[in-house]
Amino acid sequence: MNMFTITIPASSANIGPGFDSAGIALSRYLSLHVTKQETWEFVHHSSHLPFVSHYEDHFIYHAAKQIAEVYNHVLPPCKVEVDSEIPLARGLGSSASAVIAGIELANQLCSLSLTLEQKLNHATVLEGHPDNAAPIIFGGFLITANTGDGEIDYFEMPPLDLDVVLYIPDFKMSTETARNLLPASFSRKNATTASGISNMMIAAFVSGDYLLAGRMMEKDLFHEPYRAELIPNYDEIKVEAKKLGAYGTVISGAGSAMISFVPKGQGNQIAAQMKAMLPQYDIAPLKIDHHGLQVSHCEKPLRMTAE
Ligand code: HSE
């Protein structure tokens, strides 16, 4: 195979109390158009991508090389044209998307025939947690459990009958910084309350009770109370979105973006009204992506559309 395209969705991890466990795939994409040639070359087509002076320093190459080495393969050189709609360090899974791009690059170039589960396990090792990786690979809404036995358990949730609205500020948030704010341990009382809230939110989503899911997502005790102060409009976005009909609003991943879950068909209207209040934000009504990681053997980079 001489030419292929890898398309990878953005993702929003946590959904409040589903910390390090729940995530959804979103209709913004990272795409790689790969052509075999004599030497390695990465060409960037988006301002969302960082400058990289040498291919060996490229995050995607680095992930691909590590995976190839696991299976005792050597990556053959390629030209990789990269396009991205996923802003960096905003809580939209840009790093997990790049990790999975590397895993799939190795999978294709070395004909590894990796299963989706193997890709998820590798991505979790490279990322440290599976909540972005699972929806990116499978599409939709995934619940994961990393119980430490080397395999990631996952559950594909039923499709959500709602829209999401994303609020992306113009500042970055390092995941490491946002994780360092969290307590190293919780008392038994706090842990049971926090996991009860999470259980209730997931059950509500499964049953389609989005009012209850929205109420629970805003009661997170695992991470939002510690991170909220880093997001200047945190309270305002939650309150105003709720007034406009949102079920619930949470930090997307580790931030800095936030995300509202809103009734189906109301995403555009709520996004427009929120944009009037917060002109400094990139506010986007998005769809939940149900395709996940895609590989195609076509000539041009593929732009996926959700649903
Ligand atoms: N679950 C992770 C966190 C997502 O909130 O830190 C960001 O990588």
Side-chain angles (χ1 to χ4, degrees):
M1 149 210 338
N2 289 320
M3 194 179 284
F4 56 92
T5 297
I6 302 171
T7 308
I8 297 159
S11 55
S12 182
N14 298 330
I15 314 183
F19 179 68
D20 275 1
S21 169
I24 54 171
L26 295 172
S27 59
R28 282 201 178 190
Y29 298 94
L30 170 70
S31 58
L32 277 65
H33 185 55
V34 185
T35 319
K36 285 206 184 157
Q37 63 176 29
E38 296 295 309
T39 55
W40 273 100
E41 182 184 6
F42 278 84
V43 180
H44 285 181
H45 294 299
S46 165
S47 58
H48 291 310
L49 296 164
F51 173 74
V52 183
S53 58
H54 193 266
Y55 77 89
E56 280 180 317
D57 298 327
H58 203 288
F59 195 72
I60 294 174
Y61 173 84
H62 197 65
K65 185 163 177 277
Q66 286 184 75
I67 298 305
E69 284 171 359
V70 168
Y71 295 94
N72 298 315
H73 280 259
V74 175
L75 292 170
C78 303
K79 178 177 183 179
V80 184
E81 294 184 69
V82 190
D83 200 352
S84 179
E85 302 170 330
I86 310 174
L88 296 175
R90 300 299 205 284
L92 297 175
S94 58
S95 129
S97 295
V99 160
I100 289 161
I103 293 170
E104 192 56 48
L105 188 59
N107 187 38
Q108 295 296 324
L109 292 176
C110 303
S111 302
L112 300 177
S113 303
L114 296 178
T115 64
L116 296 179
E117 287 76 14
Q118 286 173 312
K119 292 175 196 176
L120 177 58
N121 290 339
H122 286 308
T124 303
V125 170
L126 295 176
E127 265 282 288
H129 38 85
D131 48 342
N132 287 107
I136 290 172
I137 292 169
F138 291 90
F141 183 3
L142 270 286
I143 309 298
T144 54
N146 184 3
T147 53
D149 61 3
E151 298 291 321
I152 305 303
D153 290 299
Y154 65 91
F155 178 77
E156 293 185 71
M157 296 280 278
L160 295 178
D161 192 26
L162 42 70
D163 289 346
V164 296
V165 177
L166 206 62
Y167 314 91
I168 309 171
D170 64 1
F171 64 90
K172 295 182 178 179
M173 185 98 91
S174 130
T175 298
E176 192 186 349
T177 305
R179 288 182 86 79
N180 286 342
L181 289 173
L182 309 182
S185 59
F186 291 88
S187 68
R188 183 166 66 190
K189 182 173 181 305
N190 286 356
T192 49
T193 308
S195 66
I197 291 167
S198 183
N199 296 341
M200 187 72 89
M201 179 184 78
I202 301 302
F205 268 128
V206 170
S207 71
D209 186 343
Y210 299 140
L211 282 172
L212 179 60
R215 206 152 59 75
M216 290 298 122
M217 77 174 68
E218 293 195 346
K219 287 180 183 281
D220 167 55
L221 297 175
F222 284 124
H223 75 112
E224 297 227 359
Y226 309 97
R227 291 171 166 174
E229 66 187 39
L230 297 179
I231 301 175
N233 303 96
Y234 177 84
D235 289 319
E236 182 186 0
I237 291 173
K238 283 174 86 156
V239 169
E240 297 302 330
K242 181 81 69 173
K243 280 190 209 159
L244 293 172
Y247 295 120
T249 302
V250 291
I251 299 173
S252 183
S256 54
M258 294 184 71
I259 185 167
S260 288
F261 293 78
V262 309
K264 187 90 178 173
Q266 293 186 28
N268 286 337
Q269 178 206 328
I270 291 177
Q273 288 177 271
M274 291 296 288
K275 180 75 186 165
M277 273 180 258
L278 295 159
Q280 72 276 30
Y281 276 69
D282 171 10
I283 299 184
L286 295 185
K287 300 287 179 210
I288 294 171
D289 169 278
H290 291 287
H291 302 283
L293 166 65
Q294 298 282 306
V295 181
S296 77
H297 300 278
C298 61
E299 293 286 316
K300 289 246 158 86
L302 195 67
R303 284 271 191 224
M304 299 295 300
T305 47
E307 296 176 324

